[in-house]
Amino acid sequence: VITEVMADPDPPAGLPDQEFCEIYNRGMATINLAGWTFFDGSSRLLPSVSIAPGEYVIICDDGDTALFSGYGKFAAITSISLTNTGEKIALRDPLGNPVDSVIYSDSWFGTSVKKDGGWSLEKVDVDFTCPVSTNWLPSANASGGTPGAANSVAGIILDEVQPLLLRSYC
């Protein structure tokens, strides 16, 4: 799943002044990203990188690998281009099946000064699969994000709203 988005790294709070996304393997098996695609307005093939269960991988520009090598495992693509105000990003398996996507927005920063750049948006609950804005918060880490590691805002989202029957057919 997509777990972190750094769309506006400038001015940097402590991380490299480069865009990145982070993905996490919440499954029970190791996955190789060969043939998978990352979409940020354009589709790009991901390289052959294995992700063990519970492991994070940073998706970054292939020219930025030296900047992110100290943060953990990365999957470099030919370019990454995230709009500061928001857009859809998606991950697809080799058969083209959607695995995860998010339509992030800079409004998710609220009135925080973090909206001005240098801070990532982090997913709160990696196991909560509903694509809602309440599952994303600005990083609480002093460096502006947590690439390659558990998110600083990690928690559990409880769905306590009872379902409402809208229609019934005989």
Side-chain angles (χ1 to χ4, degrees):
V1 293
I2 299 165
T3 54
E4 188 169 359
V5 178
M6 174 63 88
D8 186 5
D10 184 40
L15 292 174
D17 187 6
Q18 300 299 326
E19 297 175 348
F20 70 87
C21 281
E22 175 192 78
I23 58 175
Y24 172 75
N25 181 356
R26 65 184 197 101
M28 304 284 269
T30 298
I31 298 168
N32 190 305
L33 296 176
W36 288 54
T37 55
F38 176 76
F39 176 82
D40 65 350
S42 297
S43 290
R44 290 173 194 79
L45 281 176
L46 291 171
S48 179
V49 173
S50 292
I51 310 176
E55 189 172 37
Y56 296 88
V57 169
I58 304 160
I59 298 174
C60 64
D61 188 278
D62 58 6
D64 299 332
T65 57
L67 298 172
F68 288 104
S69 63
Y71 292 97
K73 191 177 283 190
F74 58 85
I77 56 177
T78 54
S79 69
I80 188 167
S81 181
L82 305 171
T83 62
N84 294 354
T85 55
E87 70 179 308
K88 179 180 182 173
I89 53 176
L91 191 60
R92 292 185 178 267
D93 72 13
L95 298 174
N97 299 313
V99 174
D100 195 24
S101 67
V102 62
I103 302 173
Y104 70 91
S105 171
D106 66 345
S107 67
W108 295 359
F109 287 98
T111 58
S112 168
V113 296
K114 295 176 181 181
K115 184 177 184 174
D116 295 333
W119 299 86
S120 70
L121 288 168
E122 296 180 348
K123 191 174 222 177
V124 175
D125 188 345
V126 298
D127 291 318
F128 188 75
T129 57
C130 293
V132 293
S133 63
T134 54
N135 197 19
W136 292 84
L137 291 172
S139 179
N141 188 289
S143 67
T146 57
N151 290 341
S152 62
V153 299
I156 296 173
I157 302 236
L158 299 175
D159 183 1
E160 297 176 330
V161 177
Q162 293 185 8
L164 174 66
L165 179 64
L166 298 177
R167 292 183 191 95
S168 176
Y169 298 98
C170 295

